[in-house]
Amino acid sequence: MGWWLVNADTLARSRFVLSPFAETFAALKLLHAGAGAHPGEEAWLRTHLPGYRAFLAADPVTARLVAAGLGRAWIADFLSPAPREGQTVADAAATVRATDPAQARADLRVSLAGPVPAALDRDDLPERAAALLEYVWTETVRPDWDRRRRVLAADVAART
């Protein structure tokens, strides 16, 4: 989490977007961490972590990609395009998939703060990342999206 200092004019021009992709990316980060911050996250992880780990075990390149892309201090930009209002997860995955492979590797160099491992010096990284994000959406977020959307909408209403 970060702290942002914004003035009143900036805040007045801001808006909230309910994004299934942002929830999917947050779910990916939680699955990658493997530990929840509260009992609700722990219960969710007990349900979804075995399938996620099996998905990565079947695809070691994608496992290395997600570990590299989530980095220690920076996330590879191509993994998390900024959400837009009305954007579906399929739209966001298409944006990830359309990333130039050289740009994906450049983003990984930033997230790794160093060279990209030889195993990730390949052109299919955007496709693998998009497939992983689609898996996380389909298997872990979409089944509960209606409830999540209602909770998020209520939170936005309360904060505005």
Side-chain angles (χ1 to χ4, degrees):
M1 178 190 298
W3 288 93
W4 293 67
L5 201 54
V6 297
N7 63 28
D9 290 336
T10 300
L11 188 58
R13 289 189 311 268
S14 299
R15 63 186 171 82
F16 292 96
V17 174
L18 299 184
S19 169
F21 181 75
E23 285 295 297
T24 299
F25 193 76
L28 173 63
K29 287 179 62 180
L30 181 57
L31 288 163
H32 182 72
H38 56 76
E41 284 183 348
E42 289 295 335
W44 184 86
L45 282 167
R46 278 192 302 279
T47 300
H48 298 293
L49 195 54
Y52 173 75
R53 288 184 172 157
F55 182 93
L56 293 183
D59 185 355
V61 173
T62 299
R64 292 199 65 180
L65 169 60
V66 73
L70 294 181
R72 286 180 220 83
W74 193 259
I75 295 169
D77 287 346
F78 84 99
L79 292 177
S80 60
R84 297 183 320 270
E85 191 164 351
Q87 179 185 49
T88 66
V89 172
D91 296 335
T95 299
V96 171
R97 195 171 269 118
T99 302
D100 180 86
Q103 183 61 55
R105 289 188 296 275
D107 289 353
L108 289 175
R109 280 191 293 280
V110 174
S111 67
L112 289 166
V116 173
L120 296 179
D121 188 11
R122 45 192 304 146
D123 288 345
D124 63 348
L125 300 179
E127 173 59 39
R128 288 173 179 277
L132 174 62
L133 289 160
E134 289 167 336
Y135 166 84
V136 171
W137 162 251
T138 301
E139 298 298 322
T140 73
V141 178
R142 184 173 61 187
D144 194 34
W145 175 242
D146 288 339
R147 185 193 65 78
R148 284 179 184 238
R149 185 182 40 74
R150 285 191 307 273
V151 169
L152 291 166
D155 187 48
V156 168
R159 291 175 188 272
T160 56

